[in-house]
Amino acid sequence: MAAPTPTPRRFLGRLSLPERNFVAEALRTETVGGILLLAAAVAALIWANTPLGRSYEAVADFHVGPASLGLDLSIQHWAADGLLAIFFFVAGIELKRELVAGELRDPKAAALPVIAAVCGMAAPALVYTLVSTAGGGSLAGWAVPTATDIAFALAVLAVIGTSLPSAIRAFLLTLAVVDDLFAILIIAIFFTNDLNFAALGGALAGLAVFWLLLRKGVRGWYVYVPLALVIWGLMYNSGVHATIAGVAMGLMLRCTRREGEEHSPGEHIEHLVRPVSAGLAVPLFALFSAGVSISGNALHAVFTRPETLGVLLGLVVGKTLGIFGGTWLAARFTKAELNEDLAWPDVLAVASLAGIGFTVSLLIGELAFAGDAVLTDEVKASVLFGSLFAAVIACVLLKLRVRKYQALCEAEERDEDQDGIPDVYEQDNPEYHLRMAEIYEKKAAEHRRMAEVAGASRADGDSPA
């Protein structure tokens, strides 16, 4: 007797109901944060390119903090190293959750988004390297176009009013999580200054205490927040980028639910901290990082200087081709079948949307060209234009399929029996079919009653007075 043929895995298929609800909640917060991020970036550009431009520079360069602790930093520096630690803390929790309870927990299921994300980072780096080498430019910025900004991407979706099916949004979120992981590794490995081993040892000891307190079940923000600040300060003084401290602490949180728990500690803390990250930390970083002068010379440099042109093409071309090509190859060789409701142009649209690399790209740009203020601003301008072009291309591609997406979203949300669970998740449940039969019978009875009333009314109208 022949062995049964294994059922092929479905790519961009329907999520489980708990995963769908988690993704919807997470992306809802990110969308609001993305709109604030977009507003902050626009405000920064207006502030820096008006007669108030000097005040922008004065505020961004204003130093504050205890010099005795090595923390006499500019406002811009506090935003990049301090506030973004909150962003990376949330990224660490997201990564931990994906590894233990999300799309990345199953190696076979994780293969496709991981391969897509890796290709989506390798291709932009390759494009930058080729363009910069051909033009005789610096290779220091190879990592700038490798990052995806999920919040900015979702803000674009919110602005253009395109509703994507939850599976596509989850794929985009998973891409961004893996993307963040590799961005963290890039920052830790390639942008670490001369190490202060005493400070680094102190930071590692602090992380060990943090982990031990978590394992002992110690609770209270008044314990963890001061400890986190000490760890961050030591990590900053060690020469390792301070945001790594946020990632490390996020990865230590437990993200699996135990019996009787509605939410794991990681999910609970993420729910509390994500609004601070998306609504405050990242927009403030954008406000003090995106304010570059957009003059004629700057625009000319974006399209002519090899470093800036490499960043722009890396985001627009490299990201799209890398993610789409990696996804197609992974699906081809893992025999994963694309959801029958979708088509490969949908994957191309998501790949182009991932070319919006704002927050982490700006951060890496600052780190890569820290010794050249002019080139740093030009690279930031190229990140802005590259993200803008990627957003426009994605909007065009998504709008071509907007009716299909709206129909899929309506099917996902339909709940005719009004039990709080979308009907599509109950179709294999006999009780669901019984409830639906009762609903349809009530509707049919109501229609018959209305028809009888209407018939009686017509009969009365035709009768003699």
Side-chain angles (χ1 to χ4, degrees):
M1 182 176 179
T5 304
T7 303
R9 288 186 296 105
R10 186 73 62 190
F11 169 49
L12 294 182
R14 189 169 72 235
L15 302 176
S16 66
L17 184 58
E19 186 70 11
R20 174 189 174 278
N21 292 339
F22 175 84
V23 168
E25 177 63 26
L27 295 184
R28 190 176 299 114
T29 305
E30 290 287 2
T31 300
V32 174
I35 293 173
L36 293 175
L37 172 63
L38 186 58
V42 172
L45 289 171
I46 293 173
W47 190 359
N49 288 278
T50 61
L52 298 173
R54 289 188 177 181
S55 67
Y56 177 85
E57 294 178 3
V59 173
D61 292 337
F62 182 76
H63 279 61
V64 63
S68 59
L69 298 178
L71 297 175
D72 182 21
L73 310 178
S74 67
I75 297 295
Q76 184 178 16
H77 208 160
W78 275 111
D81 281 36
L83 291 177
L84 277 195
I86 302 174
F87 166 79
F88 278 105
F89 174 69
V90 174
I93 299 175
E94 287 179 340
L95 177 61
K96 179 67 173 289
R97 187 196 168 278
E98 286 291 326
L99 289 170
V100 300
E103 290 292 306
L104 302 180
R105 71 186 184 280
D106 179 5
K108 291 183 179 179
L112 199 145
V114 169
I115 291 172
V118 170
C119 292
M121 298 189 79
L126 179 61
V127 169
Y128 176 92
T129 301
L130 292 175
V131 173
S132 190
T133 300
S138 169
L139 297 180
W142 64 270
V144 176
T146 60
T148 293
D149 195 313
I150 182 66
F152 214 137
L154 293 172
V156 170
L157 293 178
V159 170
I160 66 173
T162 298
S163 297
L164 291 182
S166 59
I168 293 183
R169 288 176 175 252
F171 180 65
L172 184 60
L173 180 61
T174 305
L175 278 176
V177 169
V178 179
D179 201 291
D180 285 342
L181 169 62
F182 284 100
I184 291 161
L185 293 175
I186 288 171
I187 291 171
I189 296 171
F190 295 99
F191 298 104
T192 294
N193 300 320
D194 295 334
L195 289 177
N196 180 331
F197 288 100
L200 181 59
L204 295 176
L207 288 171
V209 172
F210 189 90
W211 179 84
L212 185 62
L213 291 174
L214 288 173
R215 291 300 171 272
K216 293 294 184 181
V218 176
R219 296 187 179 185
W221 64 268
Y222 45 83
V223 174
Y224 291 102
V225 171
L227 179 58
L229 292 175
V230 170
I231 293 170
W232 176 87
L234 289 168
M235 189 69 76
Y236 175 82
N237 282 286
S238 72
V240 177
H241 200 270
T243 53
I244 303 302
V247 177
M249 287 183 278
L251 285 169
M252 290 181 184
L253 295 175
R254 177 169 60 83
C255 293
T256 53
R257 300 178 189 179
R258 292 175 179 169
E259 187 176 352
E261 287 184 339
E262 185 177 353
H263 301 288
S264 67
E267 290 172 326
H268 176 66
I269 293 173
E270 182 186 13
H271 181 73
L272 295 176
V273 179
R274 184 187 287 275
V276 178
S277 170
L280 179 67
V282 175
L284 282 178
F285 167 76
L287 181 64
F288 291 109
S289 291
V292 295
S293 176
I294 307 297
S295 61
N297 291 334
L299 290 175
H300 181 263
V302 168
F303 296 98
T304 57
R305 189 160 183 164
E307 295 91 346
T308 52
L309 185 60
V311 169
L312 189 149
L313 293 177
L315 288 171
V316 178
V317 179
K319 268 288 182 184
T320 303
L321 294 182
I323 291 176
F324 180 82
T327 304
W328 186 86
L329 287 173
R332 175 78 172 79
F333 291 104
T334 61
K335 308 220 183 292
E337 292 185 358
L338 184 65
N339 183 354
E340 66 271 11
D341 293 325
L342 300 172
W344 283 105
D346 300 313
V347 181
L348 182 65
V350 173
S352 62
L353 192 64
I356 301 174
F358 190 76
T359 305
V360 180
S361 289
L362 290 177
L363 175 62
I364 294 177
E366 291 180 359
L367 297 174
F369 300 104
D372 190 336
V374 174
L375 182 54
T376 298
D377 281 350
E378 291 174 349
V379 167
K380 286 183 179 181
S382 68
V383 170
L384 295 175
F385 278 102
S387 298
L388 176 62
F389 293 157
V392 170
I393 293 170
C395 289
V396 172
L397 295 175
L398 291 171
K399 280 296 185 182
L400 293 175
R401 298 268 291 168
V402 67
R403 291 185 179 178
K404 182 67 175 179
Y405 298 148
Q406 288 173 345
L408 291 174
C409 287
E410 288 175 4
E412 284 185 2
E413 298 295 333
R414 188 176 297 117
D415 183 17
E416 293 195 14
D417 57 351
Q418 297 182 350
D419 64 347
I421 301 175
D423 296 340
V424 70
Y425 289 94
E426 298 184 298
Q427 290 176 353
D428 297 329
N429 186 350
E431 293 182 2
Y432 163 77
H433 292 289
L434 182 60
R435 288 199 305 272
M436 293 305 297
E438 293 174 351
I439 290 172
Y440 291 139
E441 179 57 33
K442 288 179 180 178
K443 288 182 178 181
E446 181 66 17
H447 284 308
R448 287 195 299 270
R449 188 186 67 81
M450 292 177 65
E452 290 172 359
V453 171
S457 299
R458 287 195 298 271
D460 291 342
D462 293 338
S463 62

